[in-house]
């Protein structure tokens, strides 16, 4: 897992933290629950898709799917939450093979 901390965004007064998370064939927490969250983006950059679960263990092929990237390091399936429609839940992921998800969280 690698983490990048960006400076506060002046227009929205949030600080973005970018984390690259390796996901495999067992449940992985992409991001912990955070009631202070104001922005969240998930993007698959690995060539295997993931199944997401909210506040529970992820089960392969039974959660919300995010598609794989067409080539390693490119943009695959993604979700972006912001404003009043943002989830503050913990988000879990699982995949049929090793893959990678970029998580950007703003508080």
């Amino acid at each position: 897992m690698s983490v990048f901390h960006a400076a506060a965004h002046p227009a929205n007064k949030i600080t973005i933290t970018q984390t690259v998370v390796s996901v495999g064939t067992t449940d992985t927490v992409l991001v912990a629950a955070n009631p202070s969250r104001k922005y969240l983006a998930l993007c698959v950059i690995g060539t295997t898709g993931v199944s997401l679960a909210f506040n529970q263990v992820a089960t392969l092929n039974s959660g919300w799917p995010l598609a794989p990237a067409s080539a390693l390091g490119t943009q695959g399936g993604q979700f972006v939450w912001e404003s009043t429609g943002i989830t503050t839940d913990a988000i879990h992921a699982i995949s049929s093979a090793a893959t990678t998800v970029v998580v950007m969280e703003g508080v």
Side-chain angles (χ1 to χ4, degrees):
M1 174 186 303
S2 62
V3 177
F4 168 77
H5 296 282
H9 187 283
N12 296 324
K13 308 257 190 282
I14 62 173
T15 298
I16 300 290
T17 300
Q18 177 179 304
T19 308
V20 178
V21 181
S22 296
V23 177
T25 58
T26 58
D27 179 70
T28 302
V29 177
L30 291 178
V31 63
N34 185 348
S36 299
R37 185 179 297 142
K38 296 180 180 136
Y39 176 86
L40 183 64
L42 307 175
C43 181
V44 177
I45 60 170
T47 56
T48 305
V50 299
S51 295
L52 301 178
F54 297 82
N55 284 331
Q56 62 184 355
V57 172
T59 304
L60 191 61
N61 299 320
S62 68
W64 193 274
L66 283 183
S70 59
L72 188 61
T74 64
Q75 187 175 2
Q78 62 181 325
F79 269 125
V80 176
W81 292 269
E82 57 189 332
S83 190
T84 58
I86 188 163
T87 181
T88 58
D89 295 345
I91 301 177
H92 297 241
I94 193 168
S95 183
S96 62
T99 197
T100 310
V101 177
V102 174
V103 178
M104 293 179 65
E105 181 179 36
V107 293

